[in-house]
Amino acid sequence: MADQRVIVIGGGLAGLAATMKIAELGTKVLLISFQPVKRSHSVCAQGGINGAVNIKGEGDSPEIHFYDTVKGGDFLANQPLCKDMCYHAPFVIYLLDRLGVPFNRTPEGNLDFRRFGGTLHHRTAFAGATTGQQLLYALDEQVRRFETQGLVEKMEWHEYLGAVLDSEGRCVGATINNLRTGEIRAERGDAVILATGGPGLVYGRSTNSMVCTGTATTSAYLQGAKYGNAEFIQIHPSAIPGRDKLRLMSESARGEGGRVWVPKNPGDERKPRDVPEDERFYFLEEKYPRFGNLVPRDVGAREIYDICINQKLGVHGEMKVYLDLTHKSREFLDDRLGGILEIYEKFTGVDPREEPMEIFPAVHYSMGGIWTDYESTDDGFINHQSPRNQMTSIPGLYAAGEADYQYHGANRLGANSLLSCIYTGLMMGPGVNNYLKNLPEAASQLPSSVFENDEKRWKERFSDISSMKGSENPYALHSELAEAMISNVLIVRENDKLQSTLDVIEDIESRWKDIECVDTQDWSNPVPSFVNQLWNMIQLSKIITMGALKRDEFRGSHYKPEFDLNQPDDFDPADYLEYEEQKANGGVHKDQFAPSHVDYMERFEKNNEDWLKSSIATYNNGKPAVDFESVDTSLIAPRPRKYD
Amino acid sequence: MSRMLKFKIKRQDSKDAAPYWEDFTVPYKSNSNVISCLMDIQANPVNSKGEKVSPVVWDCSCLEEVCGSCTMVINGQVRQSCSALVDKLEEPIRLEPMTKFPVVRDLAVDRSRMFDALKKVQAWVPADGYHDLGPGERISPEHQHVAYKLSECMTCGCCVEACPQYSKNNDFLGAAAMNQARLFIMHPTGKNLRNERLNVLMQKGGISDCGNAQNCVEACPKSIPLTESIADLGKQVSKQFWNNLFSS
Ligand SMILES: Cc1cc2nc3c(=O)[nH]c(=O)nc-3n(C[C@H](O)[C@H](O)[C@H](O)COP(=O)(O)OP(=O)(O)OC[C@H]3O[C@@H](n4cnc5c(N)ncnc54)[C@H](O)[C@@H]3O)c2cc1C
């Protein structure tokens, strides 16, 4: 076929992995990014990347990794994708090793692995405490190699505004805004991949980079693509309070032995090191003897909330707890956690090798994202040749990385995101290539009218924005939106507050129209673009909140106390499997279980019937709607989670 | 009245426009860094004279010193603005764009030259393919320590801004790219492109353009041993030079 190419939007781990795989297959790629791809948000990742290589001889395996991932996600993830990802994880890590990532090593020179949340195995490969940066650099280097060979063309400092759809609704290109000149132009592409990362900025301050507005995926949603599980926002238990950003203190600090505690006496004003051992409350270790400080993030964040808000035991009476590494040697800490301890020290002025750190929960990651498809095989893996893999509900428009809604269900396990990003980017390559081969006609052959309409539409939109002369400052309005989301759509969710948040968002939406575009220059003006992004953030916050309002249950990161099934303390999840089996074989022997357990299991089952579904947001005729869709749980039967 | 912070910011409206200084005052808040103050200006873009102006333009992304975006010259010193805590800065706080790169607007500059330099030194491993070929070679923890340190370079530009040799009018590769050349020459398979890299370093803009001022290593926010990398390459380049002579 005539000249074909793929447009990849975003050069984080997912975008770079897709780019290099597709280029390897001989197809041209146009790589577009807000910023030089080497500065993408993925550099922030600290702790590591999961793969069951079993280097420590603990009997770890991809199957256990798969189970931990599905259980961590509270069974909301489509299982064939998780399975395929976990089985490919050792290969992904080996590939990264070959590409030069300076992973930490064992004395014998093998890759070293550390512990992370939600598993009992050493499964996380790491490069000091800047793993994301190191992985991103390795992929960036490979892409630069293809660039010199002419297979990849980069357009950095360009922003994706929307997909160009032909008369049949197929994506045939993307409208792009040059962030320097302000020129808006449609680029032709036979397929477009959105690898544009997460939307942390909807909450204002988070652990995310300043470009993580979710604007590209929201734009796709506004063009008709389905958006899945928007309400599942991960709150990370340990971040450092900050005025511009909530910097992360990686889970690896706990993986390497960090202990979380508060003084037993509320309002204890002594320095943490002066609080004697028997006056410290190691609440995670006490409540969860098996997983201890390494419970999954949803559990950790809720416990910290409970300690600080309900039990009023927060450090200095605030929403803060201690994360203590002072029992570890300096040398050990510098080798394995140097990068993040330096960040803590630089930004707080306190040396965490000497003093326990003060940390608190912060918005970190979006499990939800653009809905994407896949094709599974009979044995529960993925057919890597299928053009359906990672395709959104708009034909020809794909999504990958944090931008999509797959892999992590209702709660992501630490160190599974770097994996899902790179795995997906590589995995989808052959399918995208096959999609190109099967197209009736190349995008380069289409009449220019297909592209001109979109160009015109976006030019008008931006010229309207540039001439806005209202009274609202867009940055201040953004802070208000964030405030509403932080107050009511965070760890604990209540229906009346969610409802009132929707009203606040609507109010902000109407005030958006009264914005003043505070910079009117033509050259390198970030404001019109931000105003457009703010509009998208408003639309996204609506479906996050609507999803949260509609989902009347407690699952993973979505906690509604009103609908907590209150698992009995002495309940064993294995009983539920037994109960299900008896049921399938003709009837439950209720006398074999404690009555309170039977009652719990019945409620658990009913709850899954009602809610073990992905929420799907769609935008029709200017209005959002949230509906539900079934989840593929054919490989591991859903059961109650338990970590103690 | 609450305490105010004074800023003097060197602004430039476009690539070719003349630069000018503008003063801003921002209400003091504890735990501020230069970026949080620039954000305050964004939310209320009014200068010290009370005139409404366009918000200051600057680059930033991760805000935790790993992306390399937010480099600028703060009180005369090149550094990352995210980790520049205002409590530790003398007032008025002077912000200027880096001088070794073309200004895009205000504090934002165009550092594409640094990325181009990475192409010149072929800073990558020449991998056969992205299919399953098993793990890479075993590597000792000592080797990893050295490589990891070199690999922390975030292309922020502090080293070349501080370098007296690097200028808009020459094509010196600069410390960052040379350090990457060393990193890949150290790697068990990256070294397969060693000769190509050394030949580039032998040319104009290469190793001999380094004047050994050692400013780079001082300026590096990640404390990368840049001068050590340059010295190491220097030795390798001389050897290669003689090898080339005798084999031609
Ligand atoms: C502080 C922190 C630590 C973390 N640590 C870990 C960890 O240890 N392990 C782990 O597994 N995960 C970790 N995560 C999560 C993980 O880092 C991210 O989920 C992952 O890096 C996302 O990668 P991505 O490729 O999807 O997107 P990103 O890296 O966010 O890249 C998005 C790209 O899209 C571009 N882009 C976005 N919108 C547009 C647009 N409209 N137009 C043009 N370009 C656009 C951006 O410029 C960028 O190039 C961490 C996250 C944070 C915040």
Side-chain angles (χ1 to χ4, degrees):
Chain A
M1 196 175 313
D3 239 12
Q4 286 187 301
R5 70 172 177 185
V6 174
I7 300 181
V8 176
I9 314 290
L13 288 170
L16 292 174
T19 300
M20 69 193 224
K21 187 67 201 180
I22 292 168
E24 183 190 33
L25 296 170
T27 300
K28 286 193 174 156
V29 179
L30 174 63
L31 176 58
I32 292 172
S33 164
F34 273 143
Q35 55 198 145
V37 295
K38 197 176 177 179
R39 309 203 191 284
S40 293
H41 167 62
S42 290
V43 292
C44 285
Q46 306 172 340
I49 175 166
N50 285 336
V53 173
N54 193 31
I55 222 84
K56 309 269 178 192
E58 300 166 326
D60 197 11
S61 69
E63 188 64 25
I64 305 177
H65 184 189
F66 170 39
Y67 173 75
D68 286 341
T69 300
V70 167
K71 176 186 170 195
D74 219 345
F75 296 88
L76 195 62
N78 286 303
Q79 295 182 358
L81 283 172
C82 296
K83 180 169 178 177
D84 204 72
M85 171 179 82
C86 294
Y87 275 79
H88 280 86
F91 147 71
V92 168
I93 291 176
Y94 288 153
L95 173 63
L96 294 163
D97 177 26
R98 279 175 47 220
L99 299 181
V101 174
F103 284 120
N104 279 49
R105 298 285 164 165
T106 64
E108 193 186 328
N110 291 311
L111 298 169
D112 201 358
F113 285 77
R114 68 170 148 223
R115 284 206 46 206
F116 241 70
T119 178
L120 296 170
H121 296 95
H122 287 78
R123 189 186 289 151
T124 307
F126 60 102
T130 60
T131 312
Q133 180 194 43
Q134 296 304 318
L135 302 187
L136 188 88
Y137 290 1
L139 304 192
D140 174 63
E141 288 144 11
Q142 294 300 312
V143 166
R144 189 166 292 109
R145 184 161 76 116
F146 283 117
E147 218 185 337
T148 59
Q149 294 168 9
L151 268 167
V152 173
E153 185 195 341
K154 271 190 203 153
M155 280 167 58
E156 293 170 329
W157 304 108
H158 283 76
E159 175 183 26
Y160 167 89
L161 298 176
V164 179
L165 309 181
D166 70 7
S167 54
E168 279 147 39
R170 192 164 53 96
C171 174
V172 292
T175 314
I176 306 298
N177 176 21
N178 182 327
L179 295 171
R180 301 272 206 243
T181 63
E183 185 203 0
I184 289 174
R185 208 174 82 190
E187 291 288 344
R188 295 164 185 250
D190 297 277
V192 175
I193 301 175
L194 299 180
T196 47
L201 268 262
V202 166
Y203 286 80
R205 291 179 306 162
S206 72
T207 63
N208 286 194
S209 297
M210 300 316 289
V211 294
C212 301
T213 59
T215 188
T217 46
T218 309
S219 164
Y221 149 76
L222 294 173
Q223 278 187 288
K226 298 198 279 182
Y227 197 101
N229 288 338
E231 66 273 27
F232 290 97
I233 298 288
Q234 178 162 79
I235 314 299
H236 197 292
S238 54
I240 312 167
R243 203 156 88 63
D244 50 340
K245 167 174 186 177
L246 309 174
R247 295 173 181 85
L248 183 73
M249 180 43 59
S250 164
E251 197 166 278
S252 54
R254 282 170 283 140
E256 298 291 1
R259 303 179 72 189
V260 174
W261 62 276
V262 288
K264 282 186 178 159
N265 303 322
D268 192 329
E269 281 304 323
R270 283 175 293 184
K271 289 225 168 90
R273 298 208 71 169
D274 296 337
V275 178
E277 199 58 27
D278 61 348
E279 290 180 39
R280 298 177 177 193
F281 184 15
Y282 293 97
F283 54 96
L284 290 174
E285 294 172 29
E286 278 189 27
K287 192 159 172 190
Y288 301 95
R290 268 195 320 141
F291 283 75
N293 294 293
L294 288 172
V295 287
R297 292 173 179 173
D298 56 333
V299 178
R302 265 192 304 277
E303 292 299 341
I304 293 175
Y305 182 92
D306 181 61
I307 281 284
C308 298
I309 304 295
N310 301 333
Q311 305 193 41
K312 311 229 176 314
L313 285 173
V315 170
H316 311 311
E318 292 168 24
M319 179 80 165
K320 279 191 224 162
V321 299
Y322 290 124
L323 171 54
D324 199 342
L325 279 165
T326 56
H327 52 290
K328 296 276 174 188
S329 77
R330 250 173 195 276
E331 196 188 11
F332 173 87
L333 292 176
D334 285 339
D335 176 33
R336 305 177 71 102
L337 299 170
I340 51 173
L341 300 185
E342 274 164 29
I343 291 178
Y344 189 87
E345 191 170 3
K346 244 181 199 165
F347 287 94
T348 65
V350 177
D351 181 356
R353 302 164 197 85
E354 299 293 331
E355 290 283 324
M357 298 178 271
E358 293 181 6
I359 53 109
F360 84 131
V363 169
H364 181 60
Y365 181 86
S366 171
M367 274 70 72
I370 282 289
W371 179 95
T372 50
D373 200 4
Y374 60 92
E375 185 179 321
S376 50
T377 58
D378 291 341
D379 50 356
F381 289 96
I382 298 296
N383 170 10
H384 289 200
Q385 297 301 320
S386 171
R388 278 172 51 198
N389 298 333
Q390 301 298 132
M391 198 190 280
T392 70
S393 55
I394 296 177
L397 182 65
Y398 288 82
E402 195 171 335
D404 77 46
Y405 90 120
Q406 298 281 15
Y407 303 98
H408 308 294
N411 170 61
R412 171 174 72 82
L413 289 192
N416 258 358
S417 174
L418 299 186
L419 173 63
S420 65
C421 287
I422 300 174
Y423 156 80
T424 309
L426 297 172
M427 180 276 275
M428 72 193 295
V432 172
N433 221 35
N434 289 336
Y435 172 79
L436 260 57
K437 280 190 205 148
N438 297 336
L439 282 171
E441 157 178 55
S444 56
Q445 304 295 303
L446 295 173
S448 49
S449 56
V450 177
F451 301 90
E452 282 158 3
N453 286 344
D454 273 69
E455 256 177 33
K456 188 160 160 277
R457 187 165 64 83
W458 281 106
K459 279 181 183 163
E460 280 167 12
R461 162 108 176 144
F462 269 68
S463 114
D464 289 350
I465 288 177
S466 299
S467 53
M468 288 174 91
K469 293 205 170 56
S471 59
E472 301 277 355
N473 176 293
Y475 299 96
L477 196 60
H478 174 224
S479 298
E480 276 190 52
L481 174 70
E483 189 57 43
M485 294 300 285
I486 288 273
S487 307
N488 301 321
V489 201
L490 209 66
I491 301 177
V492 177
R493 296 164 173 195
E494 289 160 16
N495 281 341
D496 52 344
K497 290 191 181 158
L498 293 168
Q499 186 60 56
S500 61
T501 305
L502 279 178
D503 299 340
V504 173
I505 298 171
E506 300 245 318
D507 175 54
I508 290 175
E509 182 178 26
S510 62
R511 284 163 57 201
W512 181 92
K513 300 186 174 109
D514 186 37
I515 275 179
E516 175 186 7
C517 185
V518 287
D519 189 342
T520 50
Q521 276 200 40
D522 295 335
W523 170 256
S524 197
N525 177 354
V527 179
S529 173
F530 182 77
V531 172
N532 181 55
Q533 291 171 15
L534 178 59
W535 175 260
N536 286 355
M537 285 193 269
I538 293 169
Q539 304 312 317
L540 183 57
S541 64
K542 269 195 203 172
I543 57 175
I544 294 173
T545 311
M546 281 175 70
L549 181 60
K550 268 210 153 169
R551 187 179 284 278
D552 275 338
E553 66 157 347
F554 162 27
R555 184 179 300 279
S557 68
H558 173 73
Y559 175 49
K560 271 189 182 171
E562 193 184 342
F563 300 96
D564 188 349
L565 299 176
N566 293 312
Q567 186 183 102
D569 285 345
D570 58 350
F571 182 74
D572 179 355
D575 282 358
Y576 183 73
L577 298 182
E578 172 69 29
Y579 164 92
E580 287 283 275
E581 196 176 322
Q582 290 184 5
K583 200 164 169 191
N585 293 333
V588 179
H589 308 294
K590 289 197 176 169
D591 50 336
Q592 282 183 10
F593 307 101
S596 65
H597 292 193
V598 174
D599 173 55
Y600 168 69
M601 291 190 287
E602 284 171 358
R603 285 184 292 123
F604 181 81
E605 194 178 18
K606 171 77 173 57
N607 184 69
N608 275 352
E609 271 166 30
D610 292 347
W611 296 112
L612 181 40
K613 293 170 187 164
S614 306
S615 73
I616 302 292
T618 45
Y619 188 75
N620 300 312
N621 306 321
K623 283 219 166 351
V626 176
D627 216 331
F628 292 89
E629 186 176 287
S630 66
V631 178
D632 183 341
T633 58
S634 57
L635 304 171
I636 299 176
R639 66 201 70 173
R641 287 164 92 205
K642 197 174 167 83
Y643 288 97
D644 50 3
Chain B
M1 216 180 80
S2 61
R3 192 178 144 199
M4 300 297 275
L5 282 170
K6 288 200 184 71
F7 280 87
K8 270 188 165 330
I9 302 180
K10 192 171 187 182
R11 308 197 60 172
Q12 185 171 327
D13 292 344
S14 66
K15 281 191 291 192
D16 309 313
Y20 60 98
W21 288 90
E22 190 151 67
D23 294 354
F24 292 89
T25 41
V26 179
Y28 174 85
K29 296 178 196 149
S30 58
N31 289 325
S32 291
N33 55 14
V34 164
I35 295 209
S36 65
C37 295
L38 287 170
M39 287 174 172
D40 286 343
I41 295 176
Q42 247 179 355
N44 180 27
V46 173
N47 68 16
S48 293
K49 293 186 213 149
E51 297 160 345
K52 227 170 166 180
V53 296
S54 51
V56 179
V57 174
W58 81 101
D59 285 337
C60 72
S61 181
C62 78
L63 305 195
E64 51 191 64
E65 261 198 5
V66 282
C67 79
S69 299
C70 68
T71 320
M72 53 184 83
V73 179
I74 301 173
N75 286 352
Q77 204 191 351
V78 64
R79 57 184 297 187
Q80 304 307 116
S81 49
C82 64
S83 55
L85 308 182
V86 299
D87 285 340
K88 296 191 177 160
L89 294 172
E90 220 168 273
E91 279 186 70
I93 298 168
R94 275 179 300 120
L95 307 183
E96 297 168 74
M98 285 190 275
T99 59
K100 301 290 171 77
F101 302 99
V103 170
V104 174
R105 192 176 159 189
D106 292 346
L107 301 168
V109 298
D110 179 356
R111 280 169 281 185
S112 26
R113 175 173 166 189
M114 292 191 76
F115 295 106
D116 289 340
L118 295 177
K119 288 185 191 153
K120 289 190 189 144
V121 299
Q122 304 194 39
W124 51 72
V125 169
D128 284 343
Y130 307 131
H131 48 295
D132 192 353
L133 291 172
E137 277 187 43
R138 289 190 183 173
I139 286 177
S140 71
E142 292 71 32
H143 182 105
Q144 185 270 344
H145 278 204
V146 179
Y148 176 69
K149 196 69 224 164
L150 307 186
S151 189
E152 277 190 297
C153 169
M154 50 190 183
T155 329
C156 67
C158 288
C159 58
V160 293
E161 174 71 18
C163 171
Q165 301 299 316
Y166 197 91
S167 90
K168 281 184 187 158
N169 312 317
N170 67 13
D171 49 12
F172 183 33
L173 286 167
M178 292 202 279
N179 175 68
Q180 290 297 304
R182 177 182 177 214
L183 171 65
F184 284 94
I185 289 173
M186 272 180 68
H187 186 266
T189 50
K191 72 169 188 280
N192 298 349
L193 294 172
R194 176 174 179 270
N195 292 355
E196 286 85 337
R197 294 193 191 105
L198 293 179
N199 288 340
V200 170
L201 290 169
M202 221 175 275
Q203 293 160 14
K204 195 165 148 282
I207 200 97
S208 60
D209 285 24
C210 167
N212 204 20
Q214 315 219 353
N215 295 6
C216 53
V217 73
E218 292 287 316
C220 176
K222 296 285 127 183
S223 314
I224 298 170
L226 296 168
T227 43
E228 212 176 282
S229 290
I230 296 172
D232 180 276
L233 288 173
K235 281 187 216 137
Q236 298 195 52
V237 166
S238 329
K239 252 200 204 151
Q240 173 89 348
F241 177 77
W242 293 109
N243 283 348
N244 288 357
L245 261 186
F246 291 116
S247 61
S248 57

